Amino acid sequence: MPSESSSGEAPELSPRSRGPQPRGWKQHLLRAVLWCFGLGAAGLACIVIVVGVALAVAYPNLPDISDLLDYRPKLPLRIYSADNVLIGEFGEERRNLTPIDQIPKVMKDAVLAIEDSRFYSHGGVDYRGLLRAGLANLGKVKSQGASTITMQVARNVYLSSEKTFTRKLYEVLLTFKLEHLLSKDQILEIYMNQIFLGNRAYGFAAAADAYFGKPMRDLTIAEAAMLAGLPKAPSAYNPISNPTRARTRQLYIIERMQENGFITAQEAETAKKQELKIRSANDRTGVHAEYIAETVRQLVYAQYGDDAYTRGLNVFTTISATQQDTAYKSLRKGIMDYERRQIYRGPEEFVDLPPGEKDAEDAIDDALADHPDNGDVMSAVVLEAGPKKILAMRLNSERVEIIGEGLRPAQSGLSDKAPPKIKIRRGAVIRVAKTPKNTWEITQLPEVEGAFVAIDPRDGAIHALVGGFDFNKNKFNHVTQAWRQPGSGFKPFIYSAALEKGFTPSTIVNDAPLFFDAGVTGGQPWAPKNYDGKFEGPMPLHTALAKSKNMVSIRILQAVGTQNAQDWITRFGFDAEKHPAYLTMALGAGSVTPMQMATGYAVFANGGYRVNPWLITKITDQRGKALVESQPPLPNESVRAIDARNAFIMERLLQEVARVGTAAKAQRDLKRSDLYGKTGTTNDQLDTWFNGFQPTLVAIVWMGYDNPRSLGDRETGSSLSLPVWINFMESALKGVPVMEPSAPEGVVNVGGEWYYEEYARGGGVSNLGGTSVDNGVDAGGTPSPNRQPDDKSLMNSDGMPYRPPTPPSDDRRSILDLFRN
């Protein structure tokens, strides 16, 4: 048995002999920390490995962004007038590329305030913004986005809109790559020009024009804030289609601008109160030049293909914006004046209007959406209709009251006996227009068509071209595509041929009846008549043209010879095959286009030279570098079509037409003597023309139906087409001095009349047809013995006394080819 110690104390036990002891809490904590650290390190390592693998796989697949150093987005084809007014634009993306230093501060501030207020301080990914957005979204306050402007640029320029982890990874990687390659200003410039903002507008410069009709530099704080709200959802915040939502977002952006110190409290308050004038879809303030723009588009597309719509080409034309606007308004006025004289054809549609006011307004808006306004010919739905008053409603609940003279054009539709399709009643969709007295009148969209073209006879530059009443209604260009009979407007070219056969302005020709039996015509007997059915007997040539006497023209053509006349007219640009060598050519029974008539009359106006119409002066790229420049050759003897003497005397004859003849209204209304021209009306009044000029400007007006039918017994070139010409010239010639051509060498004035020098003393044809009337075989008579037909010095092998060089054959090209000049 063990002995006890001498002190009598029990021996001390070892820790092991004490049994298990509880561990301290610090040890547990330390171990937990070590475990967490280990797991975290392992997780981090896994993340690093995954990210590294992802980077290794994704980074090589990132697109090359070096092209952004020379940012060239898709830019539309733009077409300008000679005075730099935009008249046409083609391309999917409507964009005005604007350098960052030309973007106004207010626009940049509005965008930064709502999209990325810390843009200039973060490195592409705004971590603070991410946290703030997360907290805001969790706290259920106004939702905030976390994408920076750089991230949006990466997404909009290079990536799709799908929401996947892969795309987000690419977006972040591209963001860092962009921040490394580009400066902040370069990134912001790309964003401000690239972003889609609705209404086919890309970038804020295009949006400023699309929504407010003004350049970006003129935007106010309120307008800039409205545009800055569009990137998030261009459709939802569109101020045209969703004005309430757009207004709510605009106010929020103004507050954000104030919070970020971009504007003061006073400026914010003023901006919130500003009433914005949003440009509606039908609100067009530009020049109507749709037919010209389409012609240019075709020409440029033929040269550049699909690139024409994306490479930012600028095309400058010969068009005068002022003259184009005047031509458009003059032609429309002439057509609508004619339409007022037509029978009312009835409402365009009938809709059922529910009894409730709000429901009725909704039904009206739906109906008018299918019947948009056509310029100043506006649509409305009838609320009430009676013999003395019509009450109608337009878009935005605008009420229209039509009374008195405003009802006259639709009297047949207000009659109790009117057929159901004609009767104007509640729910009828009608057309209304403002009168000069600022009252309303009922009207209708016209069925008749028209064309107008004006060119400079000195070089062929097209100053104005209107191919029809409305391009959206009918894209057929009647100036270049419509082949119509010219009627009496063609007579001057026959008279011109006669001058070369010895005729003079004083040659007496008999205005007496003619009859051609089947043996002469080879078909039906023909008994032509004058327009008024009257015959005035012998008269001088100049009087016959002034009065547009058909019998005289036929007799002249008989004397000249149909084949000679057919050859002669080709000098003016007409196609021989379109004008068969028959006597009906004297009355304009062939086919011409208004553009051909313009080039033909230009020969008289410029002293005898053939000029080709041309339209494009220059094409530049987006930076203004000239790619194509063209100027027409000045008239010279190589393009002479007729003798200067012939042109001068024809001017004298056409001047009389505009002074005392069928176009006397021209000089009387415009009060100037340097006006020349000829009216034209075809059989059964199918076409009406006025072809006229001043030495610096030729203008042609045509009116008729696409499917030819009579315009009315009383409708003529004098009553229908001439007023359009006068309205245009009144504006176009304002400030232009009166100028009459000087007599060329080889003509003399005897007794107040001009003659070729060799015919001034009794030479030439003095009397044609006498006073006899027979079967027409010799109704043209024979030239006077004084004609001296054996004088070979004045005649060529074809019997014509003068034959200038024929224009080169390549000048007879299509109209589109002529524009390439």
Side-chain angles (χ1 to χ4, degrees):
M1 116 176 252
S3 60
E4 297 181 2
S5 65
S6 58
S7 63
E9 295 179 358
E12 185 176 350
L13 298 174
S14 68
R16 184 179 297 272
S17 62
R18 294 176 184 171
Q21 300 292 321
R23 298 177 179 175
W25 62 273
K26 291 183 180 180
Q27 290 179 309
H28 286 290
L29 179 61
L30 178 60
R31 178 168 291 187
V33 169
L34 292 174
W35 271 102
C36 290
F37 179 78
L39 290 173
L44 181 61
C46 291
I47 291 173
V48 170
I49 293 172
V50 170
V51 170
V53 172
L55 287 174
V57 174
Y59 200 83
N61 293 325
L62 290 178
D64 181 12
I65 63 173
S66 59
D67 56 340
L68 288 182
L69 288 169
D70 184 22
Y71 175 59
R72 294 187 181 184
K74 290 181 180 179
L75 295 174
L77 167 67
R78 289 193 174 92
I79 302 163
Y80 296 89
S81 68
D83 36 358
N84 293 325
V85 175
L86 182 67
I87 59 176
E89 190 173 35
F90 297 92
E92 291 182 7
E93 300 182 7
R94 185 181 300 165
R95 177 184 284 111
N96 298 324
L97 184 59
T98 309
I100 190 66
D101 57 358
Q102 295 179 24
I103 299 175
K105 184 176 183 299
V106 65
M107 191 69 253
K108 289 186 284 190
D109 289 345
V111 169
L112 293 175
I114 190 62
E115 294 295 332
D116 193 354
S117 60
R118 297 186 63 252
F119 172 71
Y120 281 98
S121 60
H122 63 64
V125 177
D126 186 5
Y127 302 104
R128 187 190 303 177
L130 282 170
L131 179 61
R132 183 181 65 252
L135 293 175
N137 294 337
L138 285 175
K140 296 183 180 181
V141 297
K142 185 179 288 289
S143 176
Q144 297 185 12
S147 290
T148 64
I149 283 177
T150 312
M151 294 170 74
Q152 292 184 59
V153 168
R155 181 167 64 245
N156 291 327
V157 176
Y158 292 107
L159 303 175
S160 67
S161 58
E162 63 176 347
K163 295 183 178 181
T164 64
F165 173 79
T166 303
R167 198 223 65 180
K168 195 65 179 177
L169 175 62
Y170 279 124
E171 182 181 314
V172 173
L173 294 178
L174 275 173
T175 296
F176 290 133
K177 197 171 183 179
L178 286 170
E179 288 279 346
H180 175 73
L181 181 69
L182 304 175
S183 69
K184 287 289 188 179
D185 279 349
Q186 287 175 309
I187 294 171
L188 185 59
E189 177 182 310
I190 294 170
Y191 177 83
M192 300 289 283
N193 284 284
Q194 183 72 24
I195 195 74
F196 174 62
L197 300 171
N199 270 24
R200 288 182 52 231
Y202 287 77
F204 288 93
D209 178 67
Y211 292 103
F212 298 113
K214 61 167 60 176
M216 183 168 53
R217 63 176 177 272
D218 295 336
L219 292 175
T220 64
I221 294 173
E223 291 166 339
M226 180 66 79
L227 296 182
L230 290 168
K232 182 177 181 180
S235 177
Y237 297 114
N238 186 314
I240 297 174
S241 56
N242 288 301
T244 302
R245 295 186 67 179
R247 170 66 172 165
T248 300
R249 185 156 176 81
Q250 177 214 27
L251 295 176
Y252 173 64
I253 293 173
I254 292 173
E255 293 173 0
R256 291 282 298 160
M257 293 176 73
Q258 181 184 348
E259 291 172 6
N260 283 278
F262 294 137
I263 59 175
T264 65
Q266 181 61 44
E267 289 174 326
E269 192 63 28
T270 301
K272 290 178 181 179
K273 293 179 180 178
Q274 181 184 343
E275 183 176 346
L276 302 185
K277 295 181 180 179
I278 305 298
R279 190 180 189 183
S280 67
N282 294 324
D283 183 16
R284 260 202 72 125
T285 57
V287 177
H288 282 276
E290 294 87 349
Y291 290 97
I292 297 165
E294 173 59 18
T295 299
V296 173
R297 183 198 68 78
Q298 293 178 23
L299 294 174
V300 176
Y301 181 81
Q303 181 72 28
Y304 295 98
D306 291 336
D307 286 348
Y309 307 132
T310 60
R311 61 182 293 183
L313 296 176
N314 299 302
V315 183
F316 297 89
T317 67
T318 59
I319 295 298
S320 161
T322 301
Q323 291 185 19
Q324 177 65 27
D325 186 58
T326 302
Y328 173 82
K329 292 176 179 177
S330 297
L331 183 62
R332 280 180 70 95
K333 181 180 185 302
I335 290 176
M336 291 309 299
D337 286 346
Y338 168 79
E339 194 60 45
R340 289 185 184 92
R341 302 193 290 271
Q342 306 312 300
I343 296 174
Y344 186 62
R345 296 184 293 274
E348 296 178 14
E349 186 185 358
F350 295 94
V351 296
D352 293 326
L353 297 182
E357 182 176 347
K358 181 64 171 65
D359 292 338
E361 289 181 0
D362 291 342
I364 289 172
D365 287 344
D366 290 341
L368 296 182
D370 296 329
H371 299 269
D373 292 346
N374 188 304
D376 52 0
V377 184
M378 297 168 275
S379 57
V381 176
V382 174
L383 299 176
E384 301 173 13
K388 296 184 178 180
K389 184 176 77 171
I390 291 177
L391 183 63
M393 181 175 287
R394 290 197 8 85
L395 284 171
N396 300 321
S397 303
E398 178 187 3
R399 289 179 178 262
V400 172
E401 184 180 82
I402 308 170
I403 58 175
E405 287 297 311
L407 299 172
R408 184 180 296 275
Q411 280 297 325
S412 60
L414 294 171
S415 170
D416 292 336
K417 298 180 180 179
K421 291 184 178 180
I422 305 298
K423 181 72 173 175
I424 299 175
R425 58 184 184 272
R426 178 179 171 84
V429 179
I430 61 172
R431 292 285 168 170
V432 297
K434 278 289 185 73
T435 69
K437 297 180 180 179
N438 203 34
T439 58
W440 290 98
E441 70 173 355
I442 191 168
T443 185
Q444 57 190 344
L445 284 174
E447 294 181 343
V448 72
E449 273 294 353
F452 183 99
V453 60
I455 71 172
D456 187 332
R458 296 165 295 186
D459 64 4
I462 299 173
H463 284 191
L465 186 155
V466 185
F469 178 77
D470 179 61
F471 180 78
N472 294 320
K473 177 172 170 274
N474 186 352
K475 292 179 172 56
F476 184 78
N477 189 337
H478 296 84
V479 169
T480 60
Q481 296 176 293
W483 290 92
R484 309 292 295 221
Q485 289 188 341
S488 297
F490 202 71
K491 289 176 181 176
F493 306 107
I494 305 300
Y495 277 59
S496 172
L499 293 180
E500 301 301 323
K501 281 291 190 180
F503 284 75
T504 74
S506 297
T507 298
I508 301 299
V509 186
N510 192 16
D511 176 32
L514 286 168
F515 177 78
F516 302 90
D517 58 31
V520 175
T521 65
Q524 296 294 321
W526 183 40
K529 291 180 172 56
N530 289 320
Y531 171 74
D532 59 6
K534 299 176 181 178
F535 303 96
E536 299 184 33
M539 63 178 60
L541 200 74
H542 64 87
T543 301
L545 185 61
K547 293 185 174 183
S548 197
K549 291 295 184 177
N550 291 339
M551 302 304 104
V552 173
S553 295
I554 294 172
R555 283 189 163 92
I556 290 173
L557 181 55
Q558 280 184 304
V560 170
T562 56
Q563 188 60 57
N564 286 333
Q566 186 187 49
D567 292 341
W568 185 258
I569 65 171
T570 61
R571 300 165 182 265
F572 298 88
F574 298 110
D575 300 320
E577 62 271 18
K578 296 283 188 181
H579 302 270
Y582 302 124
L583 290 178
T584 51
M585 190 194 325
L587 308 184
S591 297
V592 299
T593 67
M595 183 64 83
Q596 282 188 329
M597 293 296 278
T599 56
Y601 273 79
V603 175
F604 296 139
N606 65 25
Y609 298 99
R610 170 85 174 274
V611 293
N612 287 329
W614 65 298
L615 185 58
I616 295 175
T617 60
K618 183 170 65 173
I619 301 177
T620 69
D621 63 14
Q622 65 181 54
R623 301 183 183 279
K625 178 183 177 183
L627 304 177
V628 175
E629 289 187 276
S630 62
Q631 290 293 332
L634 294 176
N636 58 74
E637 292 306 309
S638 69
V639 293
R640 178 169 287 285
I642 61 175
D643 189 351
R645 302 182 305 170
N646 189 303
F648 177 78
I649 292 179
M650 284 307 304
E651 279 190 323
R652 175 259 179 273
L653 296 178
L654 293 170
Q655 187 178 39
E656 183 171 338
V657 176
R659 186 177 71 251
V660 295
T662 56
K665 183 178 174 62
Q667 289 196 19
R668 184 175 67 246
D669 287 7
L670 296 177
K671 296 178 173 56
R672 54 190 301 155
S673 60
D674 59 340
L675 302 176
Y676 316 79
K678 183 69 185 74
T679 54
T681 308
T682 60
N683 281 350
D684 300 321
Q685 291 75 40
L686 300 182
D687 305 87
T688 69
W689 297 78
F690 186 72
N691 317 280
F693 60 89
Q694 189 268 353
T696 64
L697 194 63
V698 175
I700 307 296
V701 181
W702 166 85
M703 288 179 64
Y705 290 98
D706 280 340
N707 294 316
R709 69 175 193 261
S710 177
L711 291 161
D713 292 342
R714 298 184 179 181
E715 304 296 351
T716 65
S718 300
S719 65
L720 205 52
S721 296
L722 177 58
V724 175
W725 189 90
I726 291 173
N727 284 341
F728 171 79
M729 284 296 194
E730 183 177 19
S731 171
L733 297 181
K734 193 169 293 182
V736 177
V738 173
M739 54 182 75
E740 296 188 34
S742 57
E745 185 178 350
V747 298
V748 293
N749 190 293
V750 178
E753 190 56 79
W754 291 99
Y755 300 87
Y756 282 14
E757 189 173 27
E758 59 267 31
Y759 302 147
R761 296 175 179 82
V765 180
S766 60
N767 190 346
L768 182 61
T771 58
S772 65
V773 180
D774 51 29
N775 67 1
V777 174
D778 62 341
T782 57
S784 163
N786 294 329
R787 172 71 178 83
Q788 300 177 5
D790 293 329
D791 185 352
K792 302 300 182 181
S793 66
L794 298 178
M795 300 178 64
N796 292 327
S797 59
D798 61 357
M800 302 295 274
Y802 172 78
R803 190 172 184 86
T806 302
S809 60
D810 62 352
D811 280 345
R812 295 182 60 186
R813 295 169 287 176
S814 71
I815 290 297
L816 289 182
D817 286 334
L818 293 177
F819 288 159
R820 299 180 195 275
N821 197 23

